[in-house]
Amino acid sequence: MAPLQLVLMCRGLTSHLCAAVRLNWSAPKMARPSSNLTEFCEDFAKAKHVAIITGAGVSAESGVPTFRGQGGYWRKWQAQDLATPEAFSRDPSLVWEFYHYRREVMRSKMPNPAHLAIAKCESRLSKQGRSVVIITQNIDELHHRAGSKHVYEIHGSLFKTRCMSCGEVKANHKSPICPALEGKGEPDPSAKDARIPVQHLPRCDGSGCNGLLRPHVVWFGETLDSDILTAVEQELEKCDLCLVVGTSSVVYPAAMFAPQVAGRGVPVAEFNMECTPATMRFKYHFEGPCGVTLPPALERHESEAI
């Protein structure tokens, strides 16, 4: 099967169908990955097109709640309880409280050394006629705030909205996003739901619209944007070095990206707190906090002109 063809198979499918593809997919395993930084830096120095895939682990080092695993609750719910079209249809006030809380939390968080190292690397390599693309599963915009320019947010952004009526997608950094949500979203399990009337929730300001807005994020059971997937596939097809940073490699279809790249012989380096189901597919594995392991790996190599 051609590289990235499985990603195309997943386009238009819901997440549970992508999981079914995962169960039937296998690729030849490589030898145990290396943790030789000098060897990695030599591959890095030769690369012309670097793809960096990032996940929740990068944001977690900035103190961003992941809402995954044990203890990852907002009030009595986990993200998968609220991040669905059905939950929004059933109780838009509750879902907006949850996302308003997340937006407000992000205002106190800053890019960490991993975000900054990626942005610095992108800027430096662009002056050499080389490219860096960031493909992130995160919705917090920390890569943008760190200074990265070439970013694909495959799961959307906390700071964009989409109108349920006209479909317009717009950046929205208002705090609060609407007056009725001011002071709402307390995560304590004893907090009472705000029960905001739907007409007072965020509304579209398009001419004559006034439709209900929703967060422009990919919810459970929804498909990824086909245009973004196409662009990501093109970037991964041409990359000659791939980094997988702070991701558990279990969320599909993103979890297939790096193994598919490795399958065509491109060096892939994983930077994570622990091994993942994909680790043995890769040439390199660097264990530890991304903010510690990544900056030295992306430093200027002695062979670079700039």
Side-chain angles (χ1 to χ4, degrees):
M1 188 169 286
L4 296 177
Q5 193 171 347
L6 281 175
V7 176
L8 287 168
M9 289 171 59
C10 274
R11 177 181 299 157
L13 300 179
T14 57
S15 55
H16 71 278
L17 288 180
C18 288
V21 172
R22 173 186 62 182
L23 294 175
N24 294 321
W25 176 66
S26 61
K29 291 186 178 182
M30 300 174 66
R32 186 171 184 82
S34 167
S35 58
N36 187 319
L37 184 59
T38 300
E39 184 183 356
F40 166 81
C41 288
E42 291 172 356
D43 278 336
F44 172 72
K46 294 181 290 185
K48 301 296 184 184
H49 303 286
V50 181
I52 303 179
I53 302 167
T54 69
V58 178
S59 293
E61 291 184 27
S62 288
V64 178
T66 63
F67 297 101
R68 292 185 62 186
Q70 192 172 20
Y73 284 84
W74 177 82
R75 294 184 185 168
K76 62 181 180 181
W77 294 277
Q78 287 192 297
Q80 56 264 40
D81 299 323
L82 300 175
T84 70
E86 295 78 14
F88 190 71
S89 177
R90 183 171 58 248
D91 196 341
S93 172
L94 182 66
V95 172
W96 260 121
E97 274 201 87
F98 174 56
Y99 279 95
H100 172 69
Y101 166 74
R102 297 180 70 178
R103 285 166 57 98
E104 294 302 304
V105 164
M106 281 311 306
R107 297 184 183 282
S108 66
K109 308 303 179 185
M110 299 297 292
N112 64 55
H115 295 109
L116 297 173
I118 291 171
K120 181 179 178 181
C121 173
E122 179 187 2
S123 176
R124 187 179 80 247
L125 265 58
S126 69
K127 298 172 185 175
Q128 303 171 15
R130 303 159 70 192
S131 68
V132 173
V133 60
I134 297 95
I135 302 161
T136 187
Q137 300 169 74
N138 301 331
I139 61 174
D140 49 44
E141 295 193 356
L142 284 176
H143 283 298
H144 289 292
R145 288 172 56 188
S148 290
K149 307 296 184 186
H150 197 183
V151 183
Y152 289 104
E153 297 167 317
I154 64 172
H155 291 160
S157 168
L158 277 173
F159 297 99
K160 290 180 181 176
T161 57
R162 183 163 79 247
C163 179
M164 299 288 288
S165 297
C166 71
E168 184 180 31
V169 175
K170 290 182 67 174
N172 187 314
H173 292 84
K174 294 179 183 177
S175 176
I177 189 169
C178 70
L181 280 166
E182 185 169 9
K184 302 297 190 293
E186 170 61 46
D188 191 284
S190 63
K192 292 184 178 180
D193 299 345
R195 303 292 181 190
I196 300 169
V198 68
Q199 65 268 25
H200 297 314
L201 291 173
R203 313 296 298 195
C204 180
D205 59 6
S207 178
C209 184
N210 198 41
L212 177 64
L213 297 179
R214 57 159 281 180
H216 184 57
V217 298
V218 179
W219 282 334
F220 291 93
E222 294 185 324
T223 58
L224 274 63
D225 185 291
S226 60
D227 291 336
I228 292 178
L229 266 185
T230 296
V232 166
E233 290 154 13
Q234 292 171 348
E235 294 289 349
L236 294 175
E237 287 281 7
K238 73 179 183 181
C239 80
D240 50 7
L241 178 67
C242 180
L243 280 63
V244 187
V245 185
T247 175
S248 58
S249 294
V250 296
V251 178
Y252 282 73
M256 291 189 294
F257 293 162
Q260 290 271 17
V261 170
R264 62 182 177 86
V266 172
V268 176
E270 183 179 56
F271 296 79
N272 204 38
M273 288 294 293
E274 56 194 5
C275 290
T276 72
T279 298
M280 294 304 292
R281 314 279 183 201
F282 303 148
K283 183 174 181 179
Y284 302 101
H285 174 79
F286 299 98
E287 194 161 311
C290 304
V292 174
T293 59
L294 192 61
L298 297 184
E299 280 293 335
R300 178 183 173 276
H301 190 265
E302 60 185 13
S303 65
E304 292 183 44
I306 298 176

